[in-house]
């Protein structure tokens, strides 16, 4: 690899501007493996974060008791959910690829990530309902959960994935070769932690809506209304409740999730090239 590849080239694609059609099997399996790995490893932190955000209070919501409650549904939903996301993400990114200015690439990564979240959300909602109800007893309607997961996850992905792609491109450019899987994981950790911090209020609103009693004003599913309610009752601290467990969980999750994805996809692509 020569030193003449710019950051723009690496943003377009690690092999200096060329973008091959993504492999169906590699993206599908790698995404599934990454999703299952991160959920099973980090489930306790997610449970603690959910209980910190519960209107019942942390200890009344269960405290540290049964922090693996709901893990079977998470494991079942993780593989197809992440597989669907990455398959959609890679194909939309490939479909939108042009030789135009790299300044448009973050926007294309945003569109690809948003499309991936919409597809993945169709799979995520049923397992998320079961998981949240196991973590803290509650009642919610599926459509509300679908819409509110999108309200949180799409803004999160709009921050995380363009930042992840940019950091990988920058690191590749600085060292004049494509990042290794562990370097991709480090980029994923930073991107995930940053995205987690700035989207915590949306996560708080989603959790409050999902855990609201049926018939209450919060249960109506209005995110802005939920945010206003938290602001009036708890102020800024309430909007950022659980921010540090969320950042810790998602930073570590980003390291595992995106590192495992790149590693698995690279291995599968290599096997595919060596096959008959």
């Amino acid at each position: 690899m020569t030193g003449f590849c710019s950051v723009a080239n690496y943003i377009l694609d690690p092999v200096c501007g060329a973008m091959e059609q993504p492999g169906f099997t590699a993206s599908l399996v790698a995404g599934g493996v990454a999703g299952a790995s991160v959920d099973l490893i980090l489930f306790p932190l997610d449970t603690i974060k959910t209980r910190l955000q519960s209107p019942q209070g942390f200890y009344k919501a269960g405290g540290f008791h049964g922090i693996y409650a709901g893990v079977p549904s998470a494991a079942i939903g993780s593989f197809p959910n992440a597989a669907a996301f990455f398959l959609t993400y890679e194909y939309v990114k490939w479909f939108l690829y042009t030789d135009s200015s790299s300044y448009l690439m973050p926007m294309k990564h945003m569109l690809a990530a948003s499309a991936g979240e919409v597809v993945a959300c169709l799979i995520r909602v049923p397992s998320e309902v079961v998981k949240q109800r196991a973590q803290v007893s509650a009642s919610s309607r599926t459509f509300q959960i679908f819409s509110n997961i999108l309200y949180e996850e799409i803004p999160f992905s709009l921050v995380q994935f363009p930042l992840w792609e940019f950091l990988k491109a920058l690191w590749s450019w600085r060292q004049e070769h494509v990042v290794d899987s562990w370097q991709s994981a480090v980029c994923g950790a930073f991107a995930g932690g940053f995205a987690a911090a700035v989207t915590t209020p949306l996560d708080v609103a989603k959790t409050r809506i999902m855990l609201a009693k049926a018939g209450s004003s919060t249960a109506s599913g209005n995110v802005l209304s939920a945010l206003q309610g938290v602001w009036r009752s708890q102020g800024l601290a309430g909007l950022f409740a659980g921010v540090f467990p969320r950042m810790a969980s998602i930073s570590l999750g980003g390291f595992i999730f995106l590192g495992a994805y790149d590693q698995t996809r690279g291995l599968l692509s290599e096997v595919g090239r060596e096959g008959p």
Side-chain angles (χ1 to χ4, degrees), residues 156 159 163 189-199 247 251:
F156 177 85
V159 177
L163 182 56
F190 183 86
F194 181 79
V198 300
T199 60
M247 287 180 66
S251 292

Side-chain angles (χ1 to χ4, degrees), residues 174-269:
R174 291 292 298 271
Q175 66 185 8
E176 299 185 359
H177 65 80
V178 180
V179 291
D180 297 324
S181 295
W182 72 267
Q183 294 171 320
S184 175
V186 171
C187 294
F190 183 86
F194 181 79
V198 300
T199 60
T200 294
L202 292 175
D203 186 55
V204 171
K206 183 202 75 171
T207 301
R208 290 295 181 91
I209 290 168
M210 294 177 74
L211 304 182
K213 293 181 180 180
S216 67
S217 58
T218 304
S220 64
N222 188 305
V223 173
L224 289 178
S225 176
L227 288 172
Q228 289 171 355
V230 175
W231 172 258
R232 285 194 300 266
S233 62
Q234 296 177 281
L236 191 64
L239 290 176
F240 285 90
V243 63
F244 293 114
R246 174 173 164 82
M247 287 180 66
S249 174
I250 294 180
S251 292
L252 185 53
F255 184 91
I256 298 169
F257 185 57
L258 297 172
Y261 174 73
D262 265 6
Q263 176 70 22
T264 306
R265 187 165 179 260
L267 290 173
L268 291 174
S269 298

